[in-house]
DNA sequence: GTAACTCCTCACGTTGCGTGAGGTGCAAGA
DNA sequence: TCTTGCACCTCACGCAACGTGAGGAGTTAC
């Protein structure tokens, strides 16, 4: 007893595919029904249905139709090769997507820092976000992200304000030729150090990376952050830190 | 002093884009040069270049061109919304991709278990792999995967062989009406238990899940694995285990 | 007989360009 | 000045896997 063949609609509803998909499979020669009615209606027999089930299995693994076709038509590819190849491609894609997701996450936290919503600012912040990838390792970025969320939004602005207060003072001290070992500069150095440690979590590698970044990307960062330390400030404050060390002994 | 405008080729090489991409941006109205020579050559001015840089920034975040366009043309979307929306989409995709990758990993280890390379077998194994997702949690699947790799290929075949030896014996014992508390059945129960514990790592939840799976998917699994325990065997062996417990006291 | 389905074959749309095809503009050497 | 060669132009197809009509014919139930 042979079962009557199925028409597309029936096959579609029974297999959960769309009629269009079955048409498509026919078009590309992946699954052509072995029978047609005189008027041209597709009739699928047992063998066709079996093939469709195989196709569905392979599609569940995300294998592209062209490769499914080659596999089922017995081309020169072992299942193992196909799976391994596909897995490799998937991992590549995943790596890319993950990098994108990390970027977007970083961008989102950066967006929380500033209150602006202009497109120009957004693009600037993207630049900063991308630039940071060059100066910090993935783990360091992770640490920074955590620091930022733990510091919180409100305090973040206080920190910004404090930098905006300190940096002009340092600039003025440099142009005025004030001795970095003088008491008022040492007081500033103490505040500076506290700010840095709060931001970097005390990791000297991160502090160094921050410094390198400011040296290379100063102008870009300045547009977003406001006051930003320049290389000569780092040098000057270095001497102030030395004096701070001495005085605290 | 205004700089001379750039032609496509020049803009392309300086920004790292392809000429075709710039043409495309022009076609879709994303970036149309503000000038053309009388002969129709595109001339990009400073404003155009700035816009291109913004486009590049947004594209680095994987934002689709249509949304980039709307953003830059000041449509009703805040940067925040766009980023959040895009991040959500990305996470969705990542979840899908990760599931696929897990499936493929599981499939690969399953492929290592059997030596066959036929397409039919591959599709069967895919079915099994998918079916397992219904009976085990993600963590359980992870545990099983680790068990399998730690057991190793060679020993895996010994295990299979032992099942193929034990199961017919149990079947025969059932049809022959042998008492499950009889010594030979208790001996078999001891081996059975050892096999199960080796496979499940001693986790009773996994053992239960395996049993449920065999009850529902018996025929499918049998085609791939060979001998497979049936519900009546589980019941029978349950009584044998009880006898084993008693005797070992 | 006709209404209501189901089926058929085009054929465009999707995303972001790559890759020619065939033709013109422009700067420099013979 | 003429030619050579490079840069530029505008179509237009291709990709992956179908979704979504459009317009028309076959099938089935009342």
């Amino acid at each position: 007893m042979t079962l009557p063949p199925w028409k597309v609609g029936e096959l579609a509803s029974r297999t959960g595919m769309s009629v269009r998909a079955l048409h498509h499979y026919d078009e590309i020669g992946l699954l052509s029904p072995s029978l047609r009615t005189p008027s041209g209606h597709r009739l699928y027999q047992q063998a066709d249905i079996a093939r469709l089930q195989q196709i569905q299995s392979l599609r569940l693994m995300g294998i592209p139709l062209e490769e499914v076709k080659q596999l089922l038509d017995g081309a020169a590819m072992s299942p193992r090769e196909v799976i391994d190849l596909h897995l490799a491609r998937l991992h590549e894609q995943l790596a890319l997507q993950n990098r994108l997701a990390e970027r977007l996450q970083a961008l989102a936290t950066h967006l929380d820092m500033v209150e602006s919503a202009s497109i120009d600012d957004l693009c600037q912040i993207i630049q900063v976000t991308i630039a940071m990838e060059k100066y910090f390792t993935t783990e360091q970025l992770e640490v920074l992200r955590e620091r930022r969320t733990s510091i919180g939004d409100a305090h973040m602005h206080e920190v910004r304000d404090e930098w905006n207060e300190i940096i002009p003072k340092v600039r003025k001290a440099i142009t005025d030729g004030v001795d970095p070992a003088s008491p008022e500069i040492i007081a500033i150095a103490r505040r500076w150090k506290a700010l840095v440690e709060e931001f970097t979590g005390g990791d000297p590698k991160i502090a160094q990376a921050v410094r390198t970044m400011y040296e290379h990307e100063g102008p870009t960062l300045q547009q977003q952050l406001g006051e930003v330390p320049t290389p000569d400030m780092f040098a000057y404050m270095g001497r102030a830190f030395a004096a701070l060390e001495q005085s605290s002994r």
Side-chain angles (χ1 to χ4, degrees), chain A:
Chain A
M1 70 170 255
T2 62
L3 297 166
W6 289 347
K7 304 212 279 182
V8 266
E10 203 163 7
L11 181 59
S13 65
R14 280 175 202 269
T15 57
M17 312 266 325
S18 71
V19 171
R20 177 64 179 110
L22 293 172
H23 283 180
H24 182 59
Y25 293 173
D26 192 2
E27 280 173 24
I28 64 174
L30 174 58
L31 175 66
S32 299
S34 39
L35 280 180
R36 293 257 191 167
T37 68
S39 59
H41 289 197
R42 280 166 252 255
L43 294 176
Y44 294 85
Q45 289 180 302
Q46 283 307 119
D48 303 327
I49 297 166
R51 186 172 168 109
L52 178 57
Q53 282 170 346
Q54 293 184 325
I55 293 170
Q56 285 186 303
S57 291
L58 295 168
R59 290 276 329 152
L60 273 176
M61 289 309 187
I63 297 170
L65 293 182
E66 181 56 32
E67 276 173 38
V68 171
K69 188 177 166 188
Q70 292 183 16
L71 266 174
L72 293 183
D73 292 352
M77 281 199 299
S78 84
R80 235 3 251 255
E81 287 171 339
V82 174
I83 301 298
D84 287 345
L85 177 66
H86 191 55
L87 200 46
R89 282 184 303 208
L90 226 171
H91 277 142
E92 252 183 87
Q93 280 210 22
L94 270 174
L96 285 177
Q97 307 257 71
N98 275 321
R99 275 193 45 199
L100 242 186
E102 277 174 23
R103 278 186 184 176
L104 279 165
Q105 283 288 5
L107 178 59
T109 62
H110 282 179
L111 271 180
D112 287 336
M113 284 171 61
V114 289
E115 64 289 333
S116 67
S118 102
I119 310 296
D120 281 1
D121 292 336
L122 175 63
C123 293
Q124 284 278 349
I125 296 172
I126 291 175
Q127 294 292 346
V128 173
T129 308
I130 301 282
M132 286 185 72
E133 288 179 14
K134 292 195 298 210
Y135 297 99
F136 301 97
T137 67
T138 309
E139 300 84 41
Q140 288 176 341
L141 287 169
E142 185 59 31
V143 170
L144 287 178
R145 195 148 50 234
E146 277 171 22
R147 293 296 301 167
R148 244 170 312 205
T149 52
S150 74
I151 285 174
D153 234 36
H155 187 53
M156 190 66 94
H157 281 99
E158 295 174 23
V159 170
R160 265 287 86 217
D161 291 345
E162 201 163 352
W163 278 116
N164 285 334
E165 186 191 335
I166 287 180
I167 290 173
K169 283 188 181 169
V170 174
R171 186 181 297 120
K172 185 160 187 306
I174 292 176
T175 55
D176 290 356
V178 178
D179 181 6
S182 67
E184 64 264 27
I185 299 301
I186 286 189
I188 287 179
R190 205 170 276 127
R191 291 171 67 190
W192 180 299
K193 207 172 171 190
L195 286 172
V196 167
E197 291 201 349
E198 187 173 31
F199 184 70
T200 64
D203 185 334
K205 282 186 190 164
I206 292 185
Q208 180 55 45
V210 169
R211 187 170 159 175
T212 310
M213 182 177 72
Y214 276 129
E215 281 174 10
H216 288 68
E217 314 279 341
T220 311
L221 293 172
Q222 198 182 337
Q223 288 194 28
Q224 266 318 301
L225 298 177
E227 294 289 355
V228 145
T230 51
D232 57 333
M233 290 189 203
F234 280 119
Y236 183 81
M237 291 312 292
R239 287 191 284 153
F241 289 143
L244 175 61
E245 282 287 307
Q246 288 235 327
S247 72
S248 66
R249 260 186 223 158

